[in-house]
Amino acid sequence: LPEASNSSDKPENQEQTVVAVGADRQFYLNSVRVREDDLTQKVIEYLETKKEKVVLIKADVDAPYASVMAAMDKLRAAQVENVGLITERKIGQGGGR
């Protein structure tokens, strides 16, 4: 995962909706592989039953920037307005592990 020094801890739970982007340009919705062309519709379907309409993006540090932007575009097309990024806390600078 990319590192950030200004991140805050958010406990992981079953209610979270996570879109992951792998270094191999593959997309996953809560650990289930999804074709890029299907991501928007799958997110819409998944969020229908969710109380919290927040989607977190978890991208591999080696994931191409274009793939992360593609995921964000798909979420925008799904009308997701609340998107967060999952990062690893940097060592030092107040973010020691």
Side-chain angles (χ1 to χ4, degrees), residues 13-80:
N13 60 50
Q14 297 292 5
E15 293 300 312
Q16 289 181 336
T17 304
V18 178
V19 171
V21 182
D24 57 359
R25 298 183 173 125
Q26 298 300 315
F27 296 88
Y28 300 85
L29 177 58
N30 287 350
S31 301
V32 176
R33 188 170 168 200
V34 177
R35 290 177 358 112
E36 182 178 351
D37 293 341
D38 298 333
L39 186 58
T40 298
Q41 187 58 39
K42 294 290 185 183
V43 168
I44 290 169
E45 291 169 6
Y46 191 82
L47 290 178
E48 282 179 353
T49 61
K50 296 293 180 184
K51 180 179 177 182
E52 188 175 90
K53 308 285 188 202
V54 176
V55 177
L56 302 174
I57 295 178
K58 180 179 185 178
D60 187 281
V61 70
D62 294 322
Y65 183 77
S67 295
V68 177
M69 289 306 300
M72 293 180 79
D73 287 343
K74 299 294 183 180
L75 295 177
R76 196 171 307 121
Q79 298 183 348
V80 175

Side-chain angles (χ1 to χ4, degrees), residues 80-95:
V80 175
E81 294 180 12
N82 200 344
V83 177
L85 299 174
I86 298 175
T87 61
E88 294 226 352
R89 193 169 286 196
K90 279 188 177 181
I91 296 176
Q93 300 177 2

